[in-house]
Amino acid sequence: MATCAARQGKRAKVILSNVTNVYKNLALEHWILNNWSFANFDCLLIYRNEPCVVIGRFQNTWREVNVDRAKKDGVSIARRVSGGGTVYHDLGNVNFSFFSDKPSHCPARNLQFLSQTLSERHMLSIDLNKRHDLHIGDRKISGSASRIIRTGSFHHCTLLVNSDLAALSGLLQGDKTLQGSSTASVPSPTTSLLSALSRDVTPQSRDVISAKHHDVITPRNIIDDVAEEYLSLYFESIPAEVDLWSEDCTQDTDNTLVLVEEVPDKVIDHDHESWDWIFGRSPKFVKQFELGNDRTVPVSVERGLVKEVDGSENSNLVGTRYDPGVISRFISELNKSQIS
């Protein structure tokens, strides 16, 4: 695979996290961005998470996620520091975060690299659209988002390898009736690499998608392939592995393959696991609740807390956390009292 001009003269590291907790991996990603300089080298962080839903920084949690189902199924909900839409993670999904300095930030180049790697290694026909999504036929296999600060940037993307697509579909069915200015996800039909190999997605892909590749389409194999190809862009080889937190590993060492077995507490911002961040950072919105007699009661919510009920701040609900079930019961009791 040919090297890119933006990578000339740079070194590279691949950091492979064996941690599967979404909050810890997002914290690790944020820590790398804030603590390393990318003037002279690039970095690729690779990780997987236990089942979770990750929303964009400017999204409304209740609008994007079926919160009740997530709680029932024990699926974590997280908010990341980058923008973009909502995605589902499980151990069948691989996450790639490409770190660089601001001048080298180029999501399209990163996705072209992934597409070319998968094409060369596994004979997959993958397309990139203007939204920086990867598709096989008309179905999405990867979405992405970015974060840019003064000292650097990252572009991170998902890759559905053999994820539970039924769980994905059900969990991403939030309340679309909420009225507000949050960033809305753009719904797209999805597939995984393994599912694409199980059937023809489009007639054009029939010749390149073959069931004989099923045994090599696994998250572990994809991770190994991408890591090897990424380092080859910089003419780097894979030496002995080193732990990120060991004395033998700093930003300036020659280690190019770095492992993470645990994320220390000093790296984790526990506020990002809080209700205030995950739910309370949702942009303000209004929900219309049915009162009966063809009348609705508007409930205004700001910072995740009820601000007004039917235009009034004089309600027992004002100041409480938004909970549609609790509010529905309150509205129902209010209706009964008005009728009697």
Side-chain angles (χ1 to χ4, degrees):
M1 184 179 292
T3 58
C4 298
R7 292 178 169 125
Q8 63 185 2
K10 283 193 170 186
R11 300 294 304 276
K13 290 185 189 292
V14 170
I15 301 178
L16 175 58
S17 174
N18 289 321
V19 175
T20 57
N21 178 287
V22 60
Y23 305 112
K24 292 182 178 181
N25 279 323
L26 290 178
L28 173 63
E29 186 177 64
H30 203 200
W31 180 87
I32 294 171
L33 177 66
N34 289 330
N35 288 274
W36 282 8
S37 171
F38 302 99
N40 298 315
F41 88 103
D42 294 337
C43 177
L44 172 60
L45 169 66
I46 307 176
Y47 61 92
R48 294 187 295 157
N49 290 319
E50 298 285 347
C52 60
V53 178
V54 185
I55 66 173
R57 183 180 187 125
F58 307 107
Q59 293 196 291
N60 184 320
T61 314
W62 293 281
R63 192 179 193 281
E64 300 298 327
V65 185
N66 186 329
V67 175
D68 289 340
R69 177 164 179 172
K71 290 179 179 178
K72 179 182 177 181
D73 294 346
V75 174
S76 301
I77 301 174
R79 183 187 296 274
R80 61 181 184 269
V81 298
S82 62
T86 301
V87 290
Y88 171 74
H89 294 182
D90 62 15
L91 293 178
N93 171 77
V94 182
N95 302 285
F96 301 98
S97 296
F98 297 86
F99 294 84
S100 68
D101 57 2
K102 289 172 65 175
S104 301
H105 181 75
C106 185
R109 185 191 68 222
N110 299 330
L111 292 169
Q112 287 167 356
F113 156 73
L114 279 179
S115 175
Q116 188 173 348
T117 298
L118 295 170
S119 175
E120 292 179 355
R121 294 285 185 121
H122 302 289
M123 296 177 61
L124 291 166
S125 181
I126 298 174
D127 299 313
L128 168 64
N129 67 13
K130 293 181 179 179
R131 295 183 53 81
H132 294 152
D133 298 330
L134 293 179
H135 286 253
I136 294 180
D138 63 348
R139 293 181 177 269
K140 181 176 174 180
I141 60 168
S142 175
S144 63
S146 297
R147 173 75 169 168
I148 302 174
I149 62 174
R150 181 180 58 82
T151 55
S153 68
F154 69 68
H155 160 239
H156 51 189
C157 60
T158 59
L159 183 63
L160 298 170
V161 180
N162 57 0
S163 290
D164 184 344
L165 299 179
L168 180 156
S169 177
L171 288 163
L172 302 190
Q173 299 298 320
D175 185 353
K176 307 306 182 187
T177 67
L178 301 183
Q179 303 166 349
S181 59
S182 63
T183 300
S185 296
V186 178
S188 300
T190 57
T191 191
S192 66
L193 297 182
L194 194 59
S195 295
L197 291 172
S198 299
R199 60 182 174 81
D200 291 334
V201 178
T202 65
Q204 291 76 19
S205 66
R206 183 176 296 115
D207 294 334
V208 295
I209 297 179
S210 169
K212 71 179 182 180
H213 297 290
H214 280 206
D215 57 338
V216 295
I217 299 293
T218 67
R220 181 72 260 175
N221 288 342
I222 295 296
I223 289 170
D224 291 343
D225 291 342
V226 171
E228 182 178 348
E229 288 288 346
Y230 179 80
L231 290 175
S232 75
L233 294 174
Y234 304 81
F235 302 105
E236 303 274 19
S237 60
I238 298 180
E241 300 167 346
V242 63
D243 185 83
L244 178 62
W245 313 113
S246 72
E247 295 181 358
D248 298 325
C249 180
T250 68
Q251 181 176 339
D252 299 322
T253 58
D254 290 334
N255 304 106
T256 55
L257 183 61
V258 182
L259 299 182
V260 176
E261 301 294 345
E262 186 52 81
V263 179
D265 195 64
K266 66 179 181 180
V267 171
I268 300 171
D269 182 351
H270 291 284
D271 287 342
H272 281 202
E273 301 179 44
S274 70
W275 188 94
D276 287 340
W277 170 255
I278 298 169
F279 290 92
R281 286 296 295 264
S282 298
K284 60 184 179 180
F285 64 93
V286 175
K287 166 70 175 179
Q288 302 285 345
F289 286 86
E290 297 289 337
L291 179 61
N293 300 321
D294 295 325
R295 185 189 164 202
T296 60
V297 175
V299 175
S300 301
V301 180
E302 191 168 337
R303 296 185 182 276
L305 305 178
V306 176
K307 184 177 182 180
E308 292 182 353
V309 178
D310 203 13
S312 172
E313 295 184 359
N314 297 317
S315 168
N316 293 334
L317 290 175
V318 171
T320 65
R321 291 180 176 180
Y322 176 73
D323 185 321
V326 171
I327 296 176
S328 292
R329 290 190 290 272
F330 177 86
I331 298 296
S332 178
E333 292 299 320
L334 177 65
N335 188 37
K336 290 179 181 178
S337 65
Q338 290 181 352
I339 293 176
S340 61

